Amino acid sequence: PQKDTPTFSPSKISVVYVLGGPGAGKGTQCANLVRDYGFKHLSAGDLLRAEQDRPESEFGSMIKEYIENGKIVPMEVTVQLLENAMTEEIRSREGGASRFLIDGFPRKMDQALKFEAAVCPSQFTLFFDCPEDVMQERLINRGKTSGRADDNAESIKKRFQTFVETSMPVVDYFEKEGKVVKVSATKGPEEIYGEVKMRMGERGFEMVK
């Protein structure tokens, strides 16, 4: 259904998008932010993978086909899954999380515009900037143990190309609005997190202990 106003108000709910090419280390940094800043971590990819495995899912086989071909799943599906997960989290506990870290999203311009208009305008996008050769090396190493079908050289190349062609315009769009925090992701995880913490502070996010 078309909605004129977003489901959640940005004055009550803080949404931070996390973007970076495959292997930029997003997962590690998200775990740090969940631990120290009280974010609820939502991974668009994980939600899609869970949905594809859900026996009664109407979208399962379609999602599977898109993921296997390294293509981006139609945005209505992804946006709806994210909204459902946020609603569930907010309802699940009195005063449920009011800070959401949405990882690997928006992957495309239409997703970004749809989510901002229908679900909740974001605070900013945390962008992990990492050159292709560094990502490739990390992912090939990860593929030895991850068991993920898309951690192989051919898939990695496709995923990186998809990221550059479809996700970088999203980063550029939000950058023009002053809503991008760019962090160089070539160093080790601790150094990267040091910079992330500094930049979160600049944006008014305090650690919750």
Side-chain angles (χ1 to χ4, degrees), residues 73-166:
V73 175
M75 60 115 177
E76 290 82 1
V77 175
T78 309
V79 169
Q80 193 57 59
L81 291 175
L82 284 166
E83 182 174 343
N84 294 352
M86 287 173 71
T87 303
E88 202 175 308
E89 167 64 23
I90 289 164
R91 282 196 192 136
S92 71
R93 37 188 184 157
E94 200 47 57
S98 61
R99 293 177 169 186
F100 289 91
L101 211 49
I102 305 189
D103 179 2
F105 180 91
R107 299 264 307 276
K108 254 175 116 178
M109 210 54 234
D110 63 350
Q111 289 183 349
L113 298 174
K114 173 84 175 166
F115 188 93
E116 295 271 312
V119 185
C120 189
S122 63
Q123 302 292 320
F124 58 89
T125 296
L126 188 55
F127 172 52
F128 293 102
D129 200 10
C130 195
E132 183 173 10
D133 55 346
V134 176
M135 293 192 211
Q136 183 127 20
E137 190 184 334
R138 285 179 184 170
L139 288 172
I140 297 225
N141 285 331
R142 184 173 85 178
K144 293 171 187 167
T145 54
S146 73
R148 267 181 59 168
D150 58 357
D151 277 348
N152 62 70
E154 193 186 338
S155 262
I156 291 165
K157 203 147 194 61
K158 276 191 200 158
R159 284 159 68 200
F160 189 78
Q161 195 178 352
T162 300
F163 177 76
V164 170
E165 289 169 6
T166 61

Coordinates of all heavy atoms in Angstrom, one line a residue, residues 73-166:
V73 N 17.7 -8.3 -5.3 CA 16.3 -8.7 -5.2 C 15.4 -7.5 -5.3 O 15.8 -6.4 -4.9 CB 16.2 -9.4 -3.8 CG1 14.7 -9.7 -3.5 CG2 17.0 -10.6 -3.7
P74 N 14.2 -7.6 -5.9 CA 13.3 -6.4 -6.1 C 13.1 -5.7 -4.7 O 13.0 -6.4 -3.7 CB 12.0 -7.1 -6.5 CG 12.4 -8.3 -7.3 CD 13.7 -8.8 -6.5
M75 N 13.2 -4.4 -4.8 CA 13.3 -3.6 -3.6 C 12.1 -3.7 -2.7 O 12.2 -3.7 -1.4 CB 13.6 -2.2 -3.9 CG 12.5 -1.5 -4.8 SD 11.7 -0.2 -3.9 CE 10.6 0.4 -5.1
E76 N 10.9 -4.0 -3.2 CA 9.7 -4.0 -2.4 C 9.9 -5.2 -1.4 O 9.5 -5.0 -0.2 CB 8.4 -4.3 -3.2 CG 8.0 -3.2 -4.1 CD 8.7 -3.1 -5.4 OE1 9.6 -3.9 -5.7 OE2 8.4 -2.2 -6.2
V77 N 10.5 -6.3 -1.8 CA 10.6 -7.4 -0.9 C 11.6 -7.1 0.2 O 11.3 -7.3 1.4 CB 11.2 -8.6 -1.7 CG1 11.5 -9.8 -0.8 CG2 10.2 -9.0 -2.8
T78 N 12.7 -6.5 -0.1 CA 13.8 -6.2 0.9 C 13.3 -5.1 1.9 O 13.4 -5.3 3.1 CB 15.0 -5.7 0.2 OG1 15.4 -6.6 -0.8 CG2 16.2 -5.5 1.1
V79 N 12.6 -4.1 1.4 CA 12.1 -3.0 2.2 C 11.1 -3.6 3.2 O 11.1 -3.3 4.4 CB 11.6 -1.8 1.4 CG1 10.8 -0.8 2.3 CG2 12.7 -1.1 0.7
Q80 N 10.2 -4.4 2.7 CA 9.1 -5.0 3.5 C 9.7 -5.9 4.6 O 9.3 -5.8 5.8 CB 8.2 -5.8 2.7 CG 6.9 -6.2 3.4 CD 6.1 -5.0 3.9 OE1 5.7 -4.1 3.2 NE2 5.9 -4.9 5.2
L81 N 10.7 -6.7 4.3 CA 11.4 -7.6 5.3 C 12.0 -6.7 6.4 O 12.0 -7.1 7.5 CB 12.4 -8.5 4.6 CG 11.9 -9.6 3.7 CD1 13.0 -10.3 3.0 CD2 11.0 -10.6 4.4
L82 N 12.7 -5.6 6.0 CA 13.3 -4.7 6.9 C 12.3 -4.1 7.9 O 12.4 -4.0 9.1 CB 14.1 -3.7 6.2 CG 15.5 -4.1 5.7 CD1 16.0 -3.1 4.7 CD2 16.5 -4.4 6.8
E83 N 11.2 -3.6 7.2 CA 10.2 -3.0 8.1 C 9.6 -4.0 9.0 O 9.3 -3.6 10.2 CB 9.1 -2.4 7.2 CG 8.0 -1.6 8.0 CD 7.0 -0.9 7.2 OE1 7.2 -0.6 6.0 OE2 5.9 -0.6 7.8
N84 N 9.3 -5.2 8.6 CA 8.7 -6.2 9.5 C 9.7 -6.5 10.6 O 9.3 -6.6 11.8 CB 8.5 -7.5 8.7 CG 7.5 -7.4 7.6 OD1 6.8 -6.4 7.5 ND2 7.3 -8.5 6.8
A85 N 11.0 -6.6 10.3 CA 12.0 -6.9 11.4 C 12.0 -5.7 12.4 O 12.2 -6.0 13.6 CB 13.3 -7.1 10.8
M86 N 12.0 -4.5 11.9 CA 12.0 -3.3 12.8 C 10.8 -3.3 13.7 O 10.8 -3.1 14.9 CB 12.1 -2.0 12.1 CG 13.5 -1.8 11.4 SD 13.5 -0.4 10.3 CE 13.4 1.0 11.5
T87 N 9.6 -3.6 13.1 CA 8.3 -3.6 13.9 C 8.4 -4.6 14.9 O 8.0 -4.4 16.1 CB 7.1 -3.9 12.9 OG1 7.2 -2.9 11.9 CG2 5.8 -3.8 13.6
E88 N 8.9 -5.8 14.6 CA 8.9 -6.9 15.5 C 9.9 -6.6 16.7 O 9.5 -6.8 17.8 CB 9.5 -8.1 14.7 CG 9.2 -9.5 15.4 CD 9.7 -10.6 14.5 OE1 9.4 -10.6 13.3 OE2 10.4 -11.5 15.0
E89 N 11.0 -6.0 16.4 CA 12.0 -5.6 17.4 C 11.4 -4.6 18.4 O 11.5 -4.7 19.6 CB 13.2 -5.1 16.7 CG 14.2 -4.4 17.7 CD 14.8 -5.3 18.7 OE1 14.9 -6.5 18.5 OE2 15.3 -4.8 19.8
I90 N 10.7 -3.6 17.8 CA 10.2 -2.5 18.7 C 9.0 -3.0 19.5 O 8.9 -2.7 20.7 CB 9.7 -1.3 17.8 CG1 10.9 -0.6 17.2 CG2 8.8 -0.3 18.6 CD1 10.6 0.3 16.0
R91 N 8.3 -4.0 19.0 CA 7.2 -4.6 19.8 C 7.6 -5.6 20.8 O 7.0 -5.8 21.8 CB 6.2 -5.3 18.8 CG 5.3 -4.4 18.1 CD 4.1 -5.2 17.5 NE 3.3 -4.3 16.6 CZ 2.9 -4.7 15.4 NH1 3.2 -6.0 15.0 NH2 2.2 -3.9 14.6
S92 N 8.8 -6.3 20.5 CA 9.2 -7.4 21.2 C 9.5 -7.1 22.7 O 9.4 -7.9 23.6 CB 10.3 -8.1 20.6 OG 11.5 -7.3 20.7
R93 N 10.0 -5.9 22.9 CA 10.4 -5.6 24.3 C 10.0 -4.1 24.5 O 10.1 -3.3 23.6 CB 11.9 -5.7 24.6 CG 12.7 -5.3 23.4 CD 14.2 -5.7 23.7 NE 15.0 -5.3 22.6 CZ 16.3 -5.0 22.7 NH1 16.9 -5.2 23.8 NH2 17.0 -4.6 21.6
E94 N 9.4 -3.9 25.7 CA 9.0 -2.5 26.0 C 10.2 -1.7 25.9 O 11.3 -2.0 26.4 CB 8.5 -2.6 27.4 CG 7.6 -1.4 27.8 CD 6.5 -1.1 26.7 OE1 5.7 -2.0 26.4 OE2 6.5 0.0 26.2
G95 N 10.1 -0.6 25.1 CA 11.2 0.2 24.9 C 12.3 -0.5 24.1 O 13.5 -0.5 24.5
G96 N 11.9 -1.3 23.1 CA 12.8 -2.1 22.3 C 13.8 -1.1 21.6 O 13.7 0.1 21.8
A97 N 14.7 -1.6 20.9 CA 15.8 -0.8 20.3 C 15.2 0.4 19.6 O 14.3 0.2 18.8 CB 16.7 -1.7 19.4
S98 N 15.9 1.5 19.8 CA 15.4 2.7 19.0 C 16.6 3.0 18.0 O 16.4 4.0 17.2 CB 15.1 3.8 19.9 OG 16.3 4.2 20.6
R99 N 17.7 2.3 18.0 CA 18.8 2.5 17.1 C 18.9 1.3 16.2 O 19.1 0.2 16.7 CB 20.1 2.7 17.9 CG 20.1 4.0 18.7 CD 21.4 4.1 19.4 NE 21.6 5.5 20.0 CZ 22.7 5.9 20.6 NH1 23.8 5.0 20.8 NH2 22.8 7.1 21.1
F100 N 18.8 1.5 14.9 CA 18.9 0.3 14.0 C 20.1 0.6 13.0 O 20.3 1.6 12.5 CB 17.7 0.2 13.2 CG 16.5 -0.3 14.0 CD1 15.6 0.5 14.6 CD2 16.3 -1.7 14.1 CE1 14.6 0.1 15.4 CE2 15.2 -2.2 14.9 CZ 14.4 -1.3 15.5
L101 N 20.9 -0.5 12.9 CA 22.0 -0.5 12.0 C 21.6 -1.4 10.8 O 21.4 -2.6 11.0 CB 23.2 -1.1 12.7 CG 24.6 -0.7 12.5 CD1 24.8 0.8 12.5 CD2 25.5 -1.3 13.5
I102 N 21.4 -0.8 9.7 CA 21.0 -1.6 8.5 C 22.1 -1.9 7.6 O 22.7 -1.0 7.0 CB 19.8 -1.0 7.8 CG1 18.7 -0.7 8.9 CG2 19.3 -1.9 6.7 CD1 17.3 -0.3 8.3
D103 N 22.6 -3.1 7.6 CA 23.8 -3.5 7.0 C 23.6 -4.0 5.6 O 22.7 -4.8 5.3 CB 24.3 -4.7 7.9 CG 25.6 -5.3 7.5 OD1 26.2 -4.8 6.5 OD2 26.1 -6.2 8.1
G104 N 24.4 -3.5 4.6 CA 24.3 -3.9 3.2 C 23.1 -3.4 2.6 O 22.5 -4.0 1.7
F105 N 22.7 -2.2 3.0 CA 21.4 -1.6 2.5 C 21.6 -0.1 2.6 O 22.2 0.4 3.6 CB 20.2 -2.1 3.3 CG 18.9 -1.5 2.9 CD1 18.1 -2.2 1.9 CD2 18.4 -0.3 3.4 CE1 16.9 -1.7 1.5 CE2 17.2 0.2 3.0 CZ 16.5 -0.5 2.0
P106 N 21.0 0.7 1.7 CA 20.4 0.4 0.4 C 21.4 0.1 -0.6 O 22.4 0.8 -0.8 CB 19.6 1.7 0.1 CG 20.0 2.7 1.1 CD 21.1 2.2 2.0
R107 N 21.2 -1.0 -1.4 CA 22.1 -1.4 -2.4 C 21.8 -0.7 -3.7 O 22.6 -0.8 -4.6 CB 22.0 -3.0 -2.6 CG 22.3 -3.8 -1.4 CD 23.7 -4.3 -1.4 NE 24.1 -5.0 -2.6 CZ 23.9 -6.3 -2.9 NH1 23.2 -7.0 -2.1 NH2 24.4 -6.8 -4.0
K108 N 20.7 -0.1 -3.8 CA 20.3 0.6 -5.1 C 19.5 1.8 -4.7 O 18.9 1.9 -3.7 CB 19.3 -0.4 -5.8 CG 19.9 -1.1 -7.0 CD 19.0 -2.0 -7.6 CE 18.5 -1.7 -9.0 NZ 17.6 -2.7 -9.5
M109 N 19.5 2.7 -5.7 CA 18.8 4.0 -5.5 C 17.3 3.9 -5.2 O 16.8 4.5 -4.3 CB 19.0 4.8 -6.8 CG 19.1 6.3 -6.6 SD 20.3 6.8 -5.5 CE 19.3 7.8 -4.4
D110 N 16.7 2.9 -5.9 CA 15.2 2.8 -5.6 C 14.9 2.3 -4.2 O 14.0 2.7 -3.6 CB 14.5 1.9 -6.7 CG 15.0 0.5 -6.7 OD1 16.0 0.2 -6.0 OD2 14.4 -0.4 -7.4
Q111 N 15.8 1.4 -3.7 CA 15.7 1.0 -2.3 C 15.8 2.1 -1.3 O 15.0 2.2 -0.4 CB 16.8 -0.1 -2.0 CG 16.7 -1.4 -2.6 CD 17.8 -2.3 -2.1 OE1 18.7 -1.9 -1.5 NE2 17.6 -3.6 -2.4
A112 N 16.8 3.0 -1.6 CA 17.1 4.1 -0.7 C 15.9 5.0 -0.6 O 15.4 5.4 0.5 CB 18.3 4.9 -1.2
L113 N 15.3 5.4 -1.8 CA 14.2 6.3 -1.8 C 13.0 5.7 -1.2 O 12.2 6.4 -0.5 CB 14.0 6.8 -3.3 CG 15.1 7.5 -4.0 CD1 14.8 7.8 -5.4 CD2 15.5 8.8 -3.2
K114 N 12.7 4.4 -1.5 CA 11.5 3.8 -1.0 C 11.6 3.7 0.6 O 10.6 4.0 1.2 CB 11.5 2.3 -1.6 CG 10.4 1.5 -1.0 CD 9.1 1.7 -1.7 CE 8.0 0.7 -1.2 NZ 6.7 1.2 -1.6
F115 N 12.7 3.2 1.1 CA 12.9 3.1 2.5 C 12.7 4.4 3.2 O 12.0 4.6 4.2 CB 14.2 2.4 2.9 CG 14.3 2.0 4.3 CD1 14.0 0.8 4.8 CD2 14.8 3.0 5.3 CE1 14.0 0.4 6.1 CE2 14.8 2.6 6.6 CZ 14.5 1.3 7.1
E116 N 13.4 5.5 2.7 CA 13.4 6.8 3.3 C 11.9 7.3 3.4 O 11.5 7.9 4.3 CB 14.2 7.8 2.5 CG 15.7 7.4 2.6 CD 16.5 8.1 3.7 OE1 16.3 9.3 4.0 OE2 17.2 7.3 4.4
A117 N 11.2 7.1 2.3 CA 9.8 7.6 2.2 C 8.8 6.8 3.0 O 7.9 7.3 3.6 CB 9.4 7.7 0.7
A118 N 9.0 5.4 3.0 CA 7.9 4.6 3.5 C 8.2 4.0 4.9 O 7.3 3.8 5.7 CB 7.7 3.4 2.6
V119 N 9.5 3.9 5.3 CA 9.8 3.2 6.6 C 10.4 4.2 7.6 O 9.8 4.5 8.6 CB 10.8 2.0 6.4 CG1 11.0 1.3 7.7 CG2 10.2 1.1 5.4
C120 N 11.5 4.8 7.3 CA 12.1 5.8 8.2 C 13.3 6.5 7.5 O 14.2 5.9 7.0 CB 12.6 5.1 9.5 SG 13.1 6.2 10.8
P121 N 13.3 7.9 7.6 CA 14.5 8.6 7.0 C 15.7 8.2 7.9 O 15.6 8.2 9.1 CB 14.1 10.0 7.2 CG 12.6 10.0 7.3 CD 12.2 8.8 8.0
S122 N 16.8 8.0 7.2 CA 18.1 7.6 7.9 C 18.8 8.8 8.5 O 18.6 10.0 8.1 CB 19.0 6.9 7.0 OG 19.4 7.8 5.9
Q123 N 19.6 8.6 9.5 CA 20.5 9.6 10.1 C 21.6 9.9 9.2 O 22.0 11.0 8.9 CB 21.0 9.2 11.5 CG 19.9 8.9 12.5 CD 19.1 10.1 12.9 OE1 19.7 11.2 13.1 NE2 17.8 10.0 13.0
F124 N 22.3 8.8 8.8 CA 23.4 8.9 7.8 C 23.8 7.5 7.4 O 23.3 6.5 7.8 CB 24.7 9.6 8.5 CG 25.2 8.9 9.7 CD1 26.1 7.9 9.6 CD2 24.7 9.3 11.0 CE1 26.6 7.3 10.8 CE2 25.2 8.7 12.1 CZ 26.2 7.7 12.0
T125 N 24.7 7.4 6.4 CA 25.2 6.2 5.9 C 26.7 6.1 6.3 O 27.5 7.0 6.1 CB 25.2 6.2 4.3 OG1 23.8 6.2 3.9 CG2 25.8 4.9 3.8
L126 N 27.0 4.9 7.0 CA 28.4 4.7 7.3 C 29.0 3.9 6.2 O 28.6 2.8 5.9 CB 28.4 3.8 8.6 CG 29.7 3.5 9.4 CD1 30.4 4.8 9.7 CD2 29.4 2.8 10.7
F127 N 30.0 4.5 5.5 CA 30.5 3.9 4.3 C 31.9 3.4 4.5 O 32.8 4.2 4.8 CB 30.4 4.9 3.1 CG 31.1 4.4 1.9 CD1 30.8 3.1 1.3 CD2 32.0 5.2 1.2 CE1 31.4 2.7 0.2 CE2 32.7 4.8 0.1 CZ 32.4 3.5 -0.5
F128 N 32.2 2.1 4.4 CA 33.5 1.6 4.5 C 34.1 1.5 3.1 O 33.7 0.7 2.3 CB 33.5 0.2 5.2 CG 33.1 0.3 6.6 CD1 31.8 -0.1 7.0 CD2 33.9 0.7 7.6 CE1 31.4 0.1 8.3 CE2 33.6 0.9 8.9 CZ 32.3 0.5 9.3
D129 N 35.1 2.3 2.9 CA 35.8 2.5 1.6 C 37.0 1.5 1.5 O 37.9 1.6 2.4 CB 36.2 3.9 1.5 CG 36.5 4.4 0.1 OD1 36.1 3.6 -0.8 OD2 37.0 5.5 -0.1
C130 N 37.0 0.6 0.5 CA 38.0 -0.4 0.5 C 38.3 -0.7 -1.0 O 37.3 -1.0 -1.7 CB 37.5 -1.6 1.2 SG 38.8 -2.8 1.6
P131 N 39.6 -0.7 -1.4 CA 39.8 -1.1 -2.8 C 39.6 -2.5 -3.2 O 39.6 -3.4 -2.3 CB 41.3 -0.7 -3.0 CG 41.9 -0.6 -1.6 CD 40.8 -0.4 -0.7
E132 N 39.3 -2.8 -4.4 CA 38.9 -4.1 -4.8 C 39.9 -5.2 -4.5 O 39.5 -6.3 -4.0 CB 38.6 -4.2 -6.4 CG 38.1 -5.5 -6.8 CD 37.7 -5.6 -8.3 OE1 38.0 -4.6 -9.0 OE2 37.1 -6.5 -8.7
D133 N 41.2 -5.0 -4.7 CA 42.2 -6.0 -4.4 C 42.2 -6.5 -3.0 O 42.3 -7.6 -2.6 CB 43.6 -5.6 -4.9 CG 44.1 -4.3 -4.3 OD1 43.2 -3.6 -3.7 OD2 45.3 -4.0 -4.4
V134 N 42.0 -5.5 -2.0 CA 42.0 -5.8 -0.6 C 40.8 -6.7 -0.3 O 40.8 -7.7 0.4 CB 42.0 -4.5 0.3 CG1 41.9 -4.9 1.7 CG2 43.2 -3.7 0.0
M135 N 39.6 -6.3 -0.8 CA 38.4 -7.0 -0.6 C 38.5 -8.5 -1.1 O 38.1 -9.4 -0.5 CB 37.2 -6.4 -1.3 CG 36.9 -5.0 -0.7 SD 35.3 -4.5 -1.4 CE 35.4 -2.8 -1.4
Q136 N 39.1 -8.5 -2.4 CA 39.2 -9.9 -3.0 C 40.0 -10.8 -2.1 O 39.6 -12.0 -1.9 CB 39.9 -9.7 -4.4 CG 39.9 -11.0 -5.2 CD 39.4 -10.8 -6.6 OE1 39.2 -9.7 -7.1 NE2 39.0 -11.9 -7.2
E137 N 41.1 -10.3 -1.7 CA 42.0 -11.2 -0.8 C 41.3 -11.6 0.4 O 41.3 -12.8 0.8 CB 43.2 -10.3 -0.5 CG 44.3 -11.2 0.2 CD 45.5 -10.3 0.6 OE1 45.7 -9.2 0.0 OE2 46.2 -10.7 1.5
R138 N 40.6 -10.7 1.1 CA 39.8 -11.0 2.3 C 38.8 -12.1 2.1 O 38.6 -13.0 2.8 CB 39.2 -9.8 2.9 CG 40.1 -8.8 3.6 CD 39.3 -7.6 4.1 NE 40.2 -6.6 4.6 CZ 39.8 -5.4 5.0 NH1 38.6 -5.0 4.8 NH2 40.7 -4.5 5.5
L139 N 38.1 -11.9 0.9 CA 36.9 -12.8 0.7 C 37.4 -14.2 0.3 O 36.8 -15.2 0.6 CB 36.0 -12.2 -0.4 CG 35.2 -11.0 0.0 CD1 34.5 -10.4 -1.2 CD2 34.2 -11.4 1.0
I140 N 38.5 -14.3 -0.5 CA 39.0 -15.6 -0.9 C 39.4 -16.3 0.4 O 39.2 -17.5 0.5 CB 40.2 -15.4 -1.9 CG1 39.6 -14.8 -3.1 CG2 40.9 -16.7 -2.1 CD1 39.9 -15.2 -4.5
N141 N 40.1 -15.6 1.3 CA 40.4 -16.2 2.6 C 39.2 -16.7 3.4 O 39.1 -17.8 3.9 CB 41.3 -15.3 3.5 CG 42.7 -15.2 2.9 OD1 43.2 -16.1 2.4 ND2 43.3 -14.0 3.1
R142 N 38.2 -15.8 3.4 CA 36.9 -16.1 4.1 C 36.3 -17.3 3.5 O 35.7 -18.2 4.2 CB 36.0 -14.9 4.1 CG 34.7 -15.1 4.9 CD 33.9 -13.9 5.0 NE 33.0 -13.7 3.8 CZ 32.1 -12.7 3.7 NH1 32.1 -11.8 4.6 NH2 31.3 -12.7 2.6
G143 N 36.3 -17.4 2.2 CA 35.7 -18.5 1.4 C 36.2 -19.9 1.8 O 35.5 -20.9 1.7
K144 N 37.4 -19.9 2.3 CA 38.0 -21.2 2.7 C 37.2 -21.8 3.9 O 37.2 -23.0 4.1 CB 39.5 -21.0 3.1 CG 40.3 -20.7 1.9 CD 41.8 -20.3 2.3 CE 42.6 -19.8 1.2 NZ 43.8 -19.1 1.6
T145 N 36.6 -20.9 4.7 CA 35.9 -21.4 5.9 C 34.4 -21.1 6.0 O 33.7 -21.6 6.8 CB 36.6 -20.9 7.2 OG1 36.6 -19.4 7.1 CG2 38.0 -21.4 7.4
S146 N 34.0 -20.1 5.2 CA 32.7 -19.5 5.4 C 31.5 -20.4 4.9 O 30.4 -20.4 5.4 CB 32.5 -18.2 4.8 OG 32.4 -18.3 3.4
G147 N 31.9 -21.3 3.9 CA 30.8 -22.1 3.3 C 29.8 -21.3 2.5 O 28.8 -21.8 2.1
R148 N 30.0 -20.0 2.4 CA 29.1 -19.2 1.6 C 29.4 -19.4 0.1 O 30.5 -19.3 -0.4 CB 29.2 -17.7 1.9 CG 28.3 -17.3 3.0 CD 28.4 -15.8 3.4 NE 28.2 -14.9 2.2 CZ 28.0 -13.6 2.4 NH1 28.0 -13.1 3.6 NH2 27.8 -12.8 1.4
A149 N 28.3 -19.7 -0.6 CA 28.5 -20.1 -2.1 C 29.0 -18.9 -2.9 O 29.6 -19.1 -3.9 CB 27.1 -20.5 -2.6
D150 N 28.8 -17.7 -2.4 CA 29.3 -16.6 -3.2 C 30.7 -16.1 -2.8 O 31.1 -15.0 -3.3 CB 28.3 -15.4 -3.2 CG 27.9 -14.9 -1.8 OD1 28.5 -15.5 -0.8 OD2 27.2 -14.0 -1.7
D151 N 31.4 -16.8 -1.9 CA 32.8 -16.4 -1.6 C 33.8 -17.1 -2.5 O 34.6 -17.8 -2.1 CB 33.1 -16.7 -0.1 CG 32.6 -15.6 0.8 OD1 32.2 -14.6 0.4 OD2 32.6 -15.9 2.1
N152 N 33.6 -17.0 -3.8 CA 34.6 -17.5 -4.7 C 34.9 -16.4 -5.8 O 34.2 -15.5 -5.9 CB 34.0 -18.8 -5.4 CG 32.8 -18.4 -6.3 OD1 32.9 -17.8 -7.3 ND2 31.6 -18.9 -5.9
A153 N 36.1 -16.6 -6.4 CA 36.7 -15.5 -7.2 C 35.7 -15.0 -8.3 O 35.5 -13.7 -8.4 CB 37.9 -16.0 -7.9
E154 N 34.9 -15.8 -8.9 CA 34.0 -15.3 -10.0 C 32.9 -14.5 -9.4 O 32.5 -13.4 -9.9 CB 33.5 -16.5 -10.8 CG 32.8 -16.1 -12.1 CD 32.2 -17.3 -12.8 OE1 32.6 -18.4 -12.5 OE2 31.2 -17.0 -13.6
S155 N 32.3 -15.1 -8.3 CA 31.2 -14.4 -7.7 C 31.6 -13.1 -7.1 O 30.9 -12.1 -7.1 CB 30.6 -15.3 -6.5 OG 29.5 -15.9 -6.9
I156 N 32.8 -13.1 -6.5 CA 33.4 -11.9 -5.9 C 33.5 -10.7 -6.9 O 33.1 -9.6 -6.6 CB 34.7 -12.2 -5.2 CG1 34.6 -13.1 -4.0 CG2 35.4 -10.9 -4.8 CD1 35.9 -13.7 -3.5
K157 N 34.0 -11.1 -8.1 CA 34.2 -10.1 -9.1 C 32.8 -9.5 -9.5 O 32.7 -8.3 -9.6 CB 34.8 -10.7 -10.3 CG 35.5 -9.7 -11.2 CD 36.8 -10.2 -11.9 CE 37.6 -9.1 -12.4 NZ 38.1 -8.2 -11.4
K158 N 31.8 -10.4 -9.7 CA 30.5 -9.9 -10.0 C 29.9 -9.0 -8.9 O 29.3 -8.0 -9.2 CB 29.5 -11.1 -10.2 CG 29.6 -11.8 -11.5 CD 28.4 -12.8 -11.6 CE 28.6 -13.8 -12.7 NZ 27.8 -15.0 -12.5
R159 N 30.1 -9.5 -7.6 CA 29.5 -8.7 -6.5 C 30.2 -7.3 -6.4 O 29.5 -6.3 -6.1 CB 29.8 -9.5 -5.2 CG 28.8 -10.6 -5.0 CD 29.3 -11.6 -4.0 NE 29.4 -11.1 -2.7 CZ 30.1 -11.7 -1.7 NH1 30.9 -12.7 -2.0 NH2 30.1 -11.2 -0.5
F160 N 31.5 -7.3 -6.7 CA 32.2 -6.0 -6.6 C 31.7 -5.0 -7.7 O 31.4 -3.9 -7.5 CB 33.7 -6.1 -6.7 CG 34.4 -4.8 -6.4 CD1 34.6 -4.4 -5.1 CD2 34.9 -4.0 -7.4 CE1 35.2 -3.2 -4.8 CE2 35.5 -2.8 -7.1 CZ 35.7 -2.4 -5.8
Q161 N 31.5 -5.6 -8.9 CA 31.0 -4.8 -10.0 C 29.6 -4.3 -9.8 O 29.3 -3.1 -10.0 CB 31.0 -5.7 -11.3 CG 30.9 -5.0 -12.6 CD 30.9 -5.9 -13.8 OE1 31.2 -7.1 -13.7 NE2 30.6 -5.4 -14.9
T162 N 28.7 -5.2 -9.2 CA 27.4 -4.8 -8.9 C 27.4 -3.7 -7.9 O 26.7 -2.7 -8.0 CB 26.6 -6.0 -8.3 OG1 26.5 -7.0 -9.2 CG2 25.2 -5.6 -7.9
F163 N 28.3 -3.8 -6.9 CA 28.4 -2.7 -5.8 C 28.8 -1.4 -6.5 O 28.1 -0.4 -6.2 CB 29.5 -3.1 -4.8 CG 29.6 -2.1 -3.7 CD1 28.7 -1.9 -2.8 CD2 30.7 -1.2 -3.8 CE1 28.8 -0.9 -1.8 CE2 30.8 -0.2 -2.8 CZ 29.8 0.0 -1.9
V164 N 29.8 -1.4 -7.3 CA 30.3 -0.1 -7.9 C 29.1 0.5 -8.8 O 28.9 1.7 -8.7 CB 31.5 -0.4 -8.8 CG1 31.9 0.9 -9.6 CG2 32.7 -0.7 -7.8
E165 N 28.5 -0.4 -9.6 CA 27.5 0.2 -10.5 C 26.2 0.6 -9.8 O 25.6 1.6 -10.2 CB 27.1 -0.9 -11.6 CG 28.3 -1.1 -12.5 CD 28.1 -2.3 -13.4 OE1 27.0 -3.0 -13.3 OE2 29.0 -2.7 -14.2
T166 N 25.8 -0.1 -8.8 CA 24.4 0.2 -8.2 C 24.5 0.8 -6.9 O 23.6 1.7 -6.6 CB 23.6 -1.1 -8.1 OG1 24.2 -2.0 -7.3 CG2 23.3 -1.7 -9.5

